[in-house]
Structures are given as C-alpha cells and as structure tokens.
Amino acid sequence: MLRKSGTLRRQPALWRRCRSLRQIKQVHALMVLRGFLSDTSALRELIFASAVAVRGGIAHARLVFDRIPHPDRFMYNTLIRGAAHSDAPRDAVSIYARMARRRGDCGGMRPDKLTFPFVLRACAAMGAGGTGAQVHAHVVKAGCESDAFVRNALIGMHASCGDLGVAASLFDSGARGDAVAWSAMISGCARRGDIGAARELFDESPVKDLVSWNVMITAYAKRGEMALARELFDRVPDRDVVSWNAMISGYVRSGSHRHAMELFEQMQCVGEKPDTVTVLSLLSACADSGDLDVGQRLHSYLSERFSRTGLTTILGNALIDMYAKCGSMKNAHEAFWAMRDKDVSTWNSIIGGLALHGHVNESIDLFEKMLKGNVKPDEITFVAVLVACSHGGMVDKGHKYFNLIQQRYRIEPNVKHYGCMVDMLSRAGLLKEAFEFIDTMKVEPNSVIWRTLLGACRIHGEVELAEHANRELLKAKSDASGDYVLLSNIYASVGEWLGSEKMRKLMDDTGVNKEAGRAVIDGSSKDLMQSSR
C-alpha cells in the first residue's frame, strides 16, 4: 500500500484505506521519512485517522499532537472529539483546557461550536457537572448557546449530571421540536437513575428517534426489568445493533441465557450483523451456564467472520475464558495458540484455566514461555501460577515465583497471593511453615486463609493448630457453621469427644445454624482465582 501511494498530498484516499493502528503507524513513519511532519494538511489527516477513523488510535493521535509546535483549531477539535468517545473522556477536558489557555496566543485557538459538543459529552461521561457548568459559561461567552448542536449537548450534560433545572429551561426554550433534544433529556434522566422521569418524557415525545428507544430499552435491561425492555424492543420501528445488544446483554445479566441465544439467532435471521459487544455478551452467557455446545457454535461463527484478519485480542480472550469455565481446556489451548496478538489477559486466562483444571505442568510451562517472551506478568498472573504450584505440590517453585513478585516485577503481594502460598503449604502438609508464613504477611489474613488452614488441620489431625486457626476465625467474626463443624470433626477424628461436643454446644449457644449439605470442590483455590478476574 505504501510503496504505490506516491506523494501523500496527492493521495488523500490513503487515509480512508487505513483500517488499523498498525497501518496508521506505517503511514506516520513514511511521513517522517519524507519530511511531511511540516505539512499541516497531512498532519490533520494523520490526527483524524488516529483519533476518529480507527478504533484504539487515540493514544497515537495524542502522541502526534504533542509533537506539533503550533496545532490549529481543527487538530484540537479532532483530538477532543476522539478522546470524548474513548475510554478516557477526561483527556478531552484536559485538551480543551489547554486549548482555552492558548486562545490568546493565536486567533485560531478559540473554541468554537464544533468544540463544545464533544467537551460537554466528555463531562457527561465523567459525571462532571461542575466542569460542565464552567464549559457552559464558556459557551455563553463565545455566543454559541443558540447553536442546535451545542444546545442539545448542554441539555444532555445538565440532564445527566448537572443542573436539571437548567436542562429543562434550555429544553423548553425552543428545543421541544428537536428529536435530538428529546433524546438528550431522556438519556440524561435515565443516566441519573430516574427511569420514571425518562419514561414520562419518552411517552410524551412527539417524535422518537432510535436513540430514545435504545436509551429506554437499555435502562430497563440494566435494571433487570426485562419484560418492560422487551415490550419496547418489540415496538421499535427500526432496530439497530445497539437495540439487539441491549436486550441480549440484559438477558445474560438476568441469567436468561436461552432468551439471549434466541435473540442472537433472530438477529442473524433478519440480517442484523452482530458486533463485538454481541458476541462478548453471549460468550459470557456460555461461560456462566457451562453451555459448551453454544460456545463452540459462537467460535465457528467468529472463525468464519474473522477468517482473514484473525480474532481480535478481546474476543480471543473471551473465547479462552469461556472454554476454561466450561472445562474444555483442549479448545482453550487451541484458541490461545490461534491468536495472533496476545496481551497479559490472554496469558492469564490460559494459565489460570489450566491451573484450576489440574493441568499443572502445562500451566507452569506457559508461564515460563510468557516470561521468556517478554510479556510482563501482573498480579492476576501470579495468582494463577501460584494456584498451579499449590495444586501440583510444587513448594519450591511456589516460593520462587512468590519472590519474583516483588524482587523482579516490583508488585506488592496482596491477600490472594498470600492465600495461595498458605494453600500450597497446607496441601503439602507443611502446617507449621504455613502458620509461620502468616506471621510474615504484610496484610491482615482473611477468613479464607484461616479456613484453608483449618481444613488442612483436619486432614493431618493437628488439633492445637486447628484451635489457633479457629480462634482467628472467631476474631474475624466468621459465623459460618462449617467452621464449627470442621473443628468438631477434628476433635472427633483424634478421639477428643469432649472437644467435639463442646464445639457443637458452642454452635447452639451462639445461635449459628448448620447449613444444608453441599459439595465444595477445591474451594480455596477456586475462590482465589475467581476473585482475581
């Protein structure tokens, strides 16, 4: 693409052909080589492509922007627009503040009617009503309050996090004939959590655009009121992917996985193309329900759709997580190696999944490959590999990896890391070492750690240590009946019937009710892994 492009100024279509951040970086490199960093027009296009045209390129756009000595208003507005739609809307406000500070330096720096809507959007996304009010003052000073786009942005910001009275005043003074203004009011009330007011406005609205329908459907779905969400969904004149996603994710959150899959099939039948949000919701449903068959069907769909480019990292990670939770580590392993781009979450999912399903050696081997591949592990990675060491009885490796946390990677161990070490020592029968390890902890041991030790004491018949663990559990105000029963059984296992009866009587005296019987499989490690994700 780059070799045939010729001069960038003569090939504006080149920017429209960029489909990834990698391609944008290639174009950027070509610009540097050919001296185009001094070409204002080319810089504008580069910033637009990075900030707006390609998802995930806002950081690169900011990098380019910060190297431009005198960015013009178009560059500022484009970067603000991209940041306002990103996961870091605060950046849009900081760029705007920089723009406002420099407006005296150059006439082109003054914010205009194209600047304010995106800054106000960022304020609404952050819930920063105070900052939004300051921007409103700038709008008035710039004489832009009468512009329809700016006014609607003001209504949306004030309705969602600012002064509702100001929003109503703007709405009533000439905006009631604008469908976008109605949507802004409805969306703002819904975001405030006042779904009753949002519904009243929705029903009153003379012209409902698709945004209004989707706002109400999403609001009901997030509250778990799926009957009301479905009633509106069935009435939408023209649905889009947002409408379908709101319903599918709502069904997933409420545990109605069958309804979610039915909608997915209907979505395809009517020709609506699912997006990443759709598939992530459904993979989450499969993971929660353990529905491997449906998960494999989704995998087939994704493989066909992304046959040329390969799966995105976020979809690949979700697939691995789904297969791991469904117990199909072979499929998880295949999905892992099929991924072109892996991040730390990718490695965490496969290492943790293998560890929990007993594939200890494979889990540790992958961890070693991760380190050799210069992928920096994080807190969750170390929880996963310590679980593997615990399940495999690899005490020496466990100590080695625990020491790496601080010594090489400067990560402060948390209670999950300490809990894994205690679990590992307890499983190996090194109970005294486990209690001594607790004394070295820099954080307060929680009830999970003491309960892990109590269970190990039962297996190894360590009554004295069990009493100590139980005292700590009582200090932690743990009133789980299983703790009392466990200590009672420890006494009984070594023939100390008086101690056993004493614990049973203590349960009665303290009013602790014995829970109904239930199976717990490897609870300590599983709890640690689930709480880390």
Side-chain angles (χ1 to χ4, degrees), residues 354-430:
L354 288 167
L356 282 178
H357 289 286
H359 303 281
V360 174
N361 292 325
E362 293 94 327
S363 178
I364 291 175
D365 286 346
L366 275 178
F367 177 70
E368 294 288 352
K369 284 185 174 68
M370 178 184 184
L371 299 186
K372 291 176 182 177
N374 294 321
V375 181
K376 186 178 179 181
D378 60 12
E379 295 178 1
I380 299 173
T381 319
F382 281 106
V383 171
V385 75
L386 289 175
V387 166
C389 293
S390 178
H391 284 206
M394 300 177 182
V395 176
D396 290 339
K397 276 188 179 292
H399 278 295
K400 171 188 170 184
Y401 294 145
F402 183 81
N403 291 333
L404 283 180
I405 297 175
Q406 276 183 302
Q407 293 176 5
R408 182 185 297 181
Y409 295 102
R410 307 299 180 187
I411 298 172
E412 193 65 34
N414 59 40
V415 71
K416 300 182 188 72
H417 301 118
Y418 287 114
C420 287
M421 292 296 291
V422 171
D423 184 56
M424 179 186 71
L425 294 169
S426 299
R427 285 170 179 263
L430 303 174

Side-chain angles (χ1 to χ4, degrees), residues 463-480:
V463 175
E464 185 177 343
L465 294 176
E467 289 174 339
H468 174 52
N470 192 64
R471 284 195 297 271
E472 296 298 332
L473 271 174
L474 292 176
K475 287 180 185 178
K477 297 182 179 180
S478 171
D479 58 357

Side-chain angles (χ1 to χ4, degrees), residues 196-253:
R199 184 59 190 264
E200 287 182 17
L201 283 165
F202 177 80
D203 291 338
E204 185 185 348
S205 176
V207 181
K208 300 176 179 66
D209 61 9
L210 185 54
V211 174
S212 298
W213 287 95
N214 286 341
V215 163
M216 291 307 307
I217 293 168
T218 302
Y220 282 129
K222 284 184 176 179
R223 289 164 62 103
E225 299 180 28
M226 294 309 298
L228 289 169
R230 187 59 186 261
E231 181 258 327
L232 289 178
F233 178 79
D234 290 338
R235 287 170 46 200
V236 178
D238 295 298
R239 304 178 187 123
D240 65 359
V241 69
V242 176
S243 317
W244 291 92
N245 286 347
M247 289 299 300
I248 289 171
S249 61
Y251 278 132
V252 170
R253 279 193 298 269

Side-chain angles (χ1 to χ4, degrees), residues 1-8 11 14 17-18 22-31 34:
M1 179 182 74
L2 295 179
R3 292 177 182 174
K4 298 179 181 180
S5 62
T7 305
L8 289 178
Q11 294 289 339
L14 178 64
R17 293 203 300 271
C18 286
R22 181 180 179 183
Q23 290 177 331
I24 287 175
K25 288 181 177 180
Q26 287 179 321
V27 173
H28 186 186
L30 185 63
M31 287 177 63
R34 298 188 177 180

Side-chain angles (χ1 to χ4, degrees), residues 261-262 264-265 268 279 283 286 291-304 319 322-323:
M261 284 306 304
E262 287 175 354
F264 175 63
E265 291 171 358
Q268 291 177 289
V279 182
L283 287 172
C286 293
D291 197 332
L292 181 59
D293 290 339
V294 174
Q296 289 176 321
R297 283 164 51 196
L298 287 169
H299 191 176
S300 297
Y301 166 78
L302 289 172
S303 297
E304 182 179 345
L319 264 179
M322 181 275 295
Y323 278 130

Side-chain angles (χ1 to χ4, degrees), residues 256-275:
S256 302
H257 300 146
R258 179 175 61 84
H259 287 107
M261 284 306 304
E262 287 175 354
L263 270 189
F264 175 63
E265 291 171 358
Q266 290 177 29
M267 183 181 189
Q268 291 177 289
C269 287
V270 300
E272 185 67 61
K273 190 176 181 181
D275 64 5

